[in-house]
Amino acid sequence: MTASTPIAESNAPKPIHTDDAGLIAGAISLPAPAGDLPGYRAHPASGGPFPLVLVIQEIFGVHEHIRDVVRRFAHRGYYALAPDLFVRQGDPSHLRTVDEFRALAGRVPDRQVLSDLDASVAFAEASGKADVRKAAAVGFCWGGRITWLYAAHNPALKAAVAWYGRLTGDRTEAQPKHPIDVASALQAPVLGLYAGQDQGIPLPTVTAMQEALRTATNSAPGAAHAEIRVYPDVPHAFYADYRPSYRPEAAADAWQRQLDWLTRHGVA
């Protein structure tokens, strides 16, 4: 797994560091149908079982920022787990350009990702430290798109939060459906957190997703309770505190909305 943050940028802010005091935290290997899967998990050192949060990586992999997010959830009383969902197609830690990361992500089949997330839930349950009856998925960027798909895939999920995940696009063998295609199948309520100045996710696609959710209200329990919040003046990846796109005020507001969402839907 990637040990450090990707694509060093000279004008990037100093990343936030969350320590592991009072936590059990570190790299793990979990069994999955296609072979053992690396990941990173953290949870409080005592007590439990704890509500489960699957943290779904950015396009850059399970790098230090994603690991830090895992620890942030653990400090809030969750069992948090970030599986490395690219490992079967390649190692993103050796990549240097956005185009290389995109090419790798494009080779990762959605069906494989959903299966690996199911295996992650099973691993967490087997640990005895996670209460999978209170399970949520939270994803960023590439993982935001996957979060919508997983909320339509796993009926046991209580809630999900998609941070600026792509909602539509070209359909390929690896990615046959996008979030807008599964609005009518959502099993869990999803909170979508989007950026008004996101050049990769135009606002008309966000509006189209909102309309798809309204249309699906009577056919999908998740769609009926889904919400999308748009921060009008921020760019893509506004929560990524290691990148110039980071916007502290919007990031803090969205993080709190996320925590409130998990509590509201019975995950906390």
Side-chain angles (χ1 to χ4, degrees):
M1 291 187 300
T2 313
S4 59
T5 53
I7 308 183
E9 298 173 86
S10 60
N11 58 338
K14 183 179 180 180
I16 293 171
H17 174 71
T18 303
D19 64 36
D20 60 3
L23 305 178
I24 302 295
I28 52 89
S29 178
L30 62 94
D36 287 356
L37 190 68
Y40 184 85
R41 67 88 178 85
H43 59 77
S46 61
F50 309 101
L52 171 64
V53 174
L54 295 177
V55 178
I56 308 177
Q57 68 195 56
E58 300 172 313
I59 198 173
F60 305 118
V62 183
H63 56 82
E64 181 53 32
H65 172 66
I66 295 299
R67 295 180 184 203
D68 203 89
V69 170
V70 168
R71 294 192 294 272
R72 293 172 202 182
F73 274 114
H75 277 297
R76 303 293 303 209
Y78 291 96
Y79 181 111
L81 170 61
D84 186 342
L85 298 168
F86 285 0
V87 69
R88 310 200 193 289
Q89 278 67 41
D91 181 358
S93 67
H94 300 303
L95 305 182
R96 291 294 175 264
T97 70
V98 172
D99 286 343
E100 289 177 321
F101 284 104
R102 287 174 176 161
L104 172 58
R107 298 196 299 270
V108 181
D110 289 342
R111 63 183 179 278
Q112 170 189 290
V113 172
L114 300 178
S115 175
D116 283 342
L117 290 172
D118 287 343
S120 300
V121 174
F123 172 85
E125 182 175 26
S127 75
K129 287 295 185 179
D131 183 356
V132 300
R133 298 169 300 174
K134 298 178 179 181
V138 172
F140 300 84
C141 187
W142 179 87
R145 173 184 173 273
I146 295 297
T147 296
W148 287 101
L149 300 183
Y150 197 59
H153 168 81
N154 185 351
L157 211 62
K158 284 281 192 181
V161 182
W163 292 76
Y164 34 81
R166 186 161 54 95
L167 297 167
T168 189
D170 294 335
R171 292 163 180 82
T172 66
E173 182 177 353
Q175 300 176 350
K177 293 183 179 180
H178 292 291
I180 201 166
D181 302 315
V182 300
S184 61
L186 288 175
Q187 303 297 305
V190 181
L191 172 63
L193 299 168
Y194 284 84
Q197 303 303 312
D198 193 328
Q199 301 303 306
I201 306 175
L203 281 178
T205 68
V206 178
T207 301
M209 185 65 182
Q210 291 172 315
E211 180 57 33
L213 292 170
R214 283 192 290 269
T215 301
T217 294
N218 294 326
S219 60
H225 299 286
E227 294 181 13
I228 291 181
R229 164 74 175 178
V230 177
Y231 291 84
D233 301 320
V234 303
H236 183 77
F238 65 87
Y239 189 74
D241 55 61
Y242 65 97
R243 299 175 66 181
S245 57
Y246 179 52
R247 299 294 185 271
E249 185 175 345
D253 182 84
W255 180 262
Q256 187 58 51
R257 287 177 186 272
Q258 170 182 253
L259 295 177
D260 293 345
W261 185 260
L262 298 184
T263 299
R264 185 191 317 172
H265 294 287
V267 180

